[in-house]
Amino acid sequence: MEFLQSESIMIAVAVALVLGVLYYILTRNQSERQSKRPYTPPAPGSSVRRNWLVGKGGSVQGKNYHIGSRTVTIGRGIGNYVQITDPNASRIHCKLSPVPYGLEVRDNDSRNGTMVNNKRITVQVLKDGDELKIGDDAFTYHAEGNFGENAGLKRKTADARVGKATVMEGTDFKTMISDALVENNGDVEAAAKSLGVTREAFEAMLKKQGLDNKG
């Protein structure tokens, strides 16, 4: 009798385990299908636009970046579409690439890492409402919407107007270009390339910050 009871318990446990595994597989597959659902574009004439990063902390607080169909980078270098000033950020910290079911973020072997929802990632597709964080600079990703002025486009327009030589001011900027020179063993051409600017623009920056060793 005891043997039969023990056998019944074992069968019940085995059935429960099988059902649990089946439930996990079914719910995971459903979640994956939902996350990979193709993007449906808004109706013609709609003000809704795809792929936004909305600044929610640090140097990007209150700034909104429309990524759209662009592949862009985030980092301290002034060649980035999303330029941040957090000292923990690398010059080209990560890359953002639109995909059919979200926005892929790929860390660029950064020193301090790229965080999505408080987890360090190498590559991950952002879903609506996810938080992207680099140092103290934080963004909320929105798959679509209209969040007003595009800070990325505004800065690019300013870059074109001033030749990228006077976009940033102050000690942080001076340290950044000085570090670029040191890391490239004084090679102006290489330092300029690391910041995503021309040699002429970099030399103008050096002169403005008193780092050109002239006069």
Side-chain angles (χ1 to χ4, degrees):
M1 188 68 176
E2 290 181 0
F3 174 77
L4 291 175
Q5 288 179 339
S6 177
E7 187 176 16
S8 297
I9 292 172
M10 291 177 64
I11 292 173
V13 170
V15 170
L17 286 173
V18 170
L19 290 174
V21 170
L22 287 174
Y23 176 78
Y24 170 76
I25 292 173
L26 289 172
T27 54
R28 185 185 64 177
N29 288 343
Q30 183 180 9
S31 176
E32 289 179 351
R33 284 195 299 271
Q34 289 176 345
S35 67
K36 294 183 179 182
R37 186 178 299 159
Y39 169 72
T40 302
S46 172
S47 62
V48 172
R49 293 188 287 174
R50 185 186 177 200
N51 291 331
W52 286 84
L53 290 182
V54 175
K56 56 178 288 188
S59 67
V60 296
Q61 177 73 45
K63 297 179 181 179
N64 306 318
Y65 298 85
H66 178 227
I67 309 303
S69 59
R70 305 174 181 89
T71 293
V72 302
T73 55
I74 301 177
R76 286 191 297 120
I78 62 177
N80 294 286
Y81 183 77
V82 181
Q83 183 186 6
I84 58 180
T85 59
D86 191 288
N88 293 309
S90 299
R91 290 191 176 86
I92 301 178
H93 197 97
C94 62
K95 182 172 75 170
L96 303 174
S97 303
V99 292
Y101 44 91
L103 187 67
E104 181 187 88
V105 55
R106 183 179 296 272
D107 185 74
N108 191 41
D109 295 325
S110 64
R111 182 175 64 253
N112 294 307
T114 300
M115 309 292 288
V116 174
N117 298 331
N118 295 318
K119 293 181 180 179
R120 186 165 180 165
I121 59 95
T122 300
V123 58
Q124 184 166 324
V125 175
L126 298 177
K127 299 187 293 296
D128 192 63
D130 281 351
E131 180 189 73
L132 171 64
K133 193 171 185 181
I134 298 169
D136 290 327
D137 290 347
F139 307 86
T140 299
Y141 168 66
H142 293 277
E144 58 183 30
N146 190 345
F147 296 89
E149 186 175 50
N150 179 9
L153 186 60
K154 180 180 179 182
R155 196 188 66 75
K156 283 295 182 184
T157 302
D159 285 354
R161 186 165 57 249
V162 301
K164 292 188 176 180
T166 58
V167 176
M168 294 177 63
E169 300 289 346
T171 304
D172 288 344
F173 183 45
K174 187 172 184 177
T175 300
M176 186 176 73
I177 59 178
S178 178
D179 286 349
L181 271 178
V182 171
E183 290 177 7
N184 290 281
N185 299 314
D187 187 330
V188 173
E189 190 78 37
K193 186 176 181 180
S194 73
L195 293 179
V197 299
T198 64
R199 181 189 179 103
E200 292 75 17
F202 187 76
E203 288 175 339
M205 296 176 200
L206 290 174
K207 184 176 181 179
K208 184 175 180 63
Q209 297 297 325
L211 297 172
D212 59 346
N213 296 321
K214 295 180 181 179

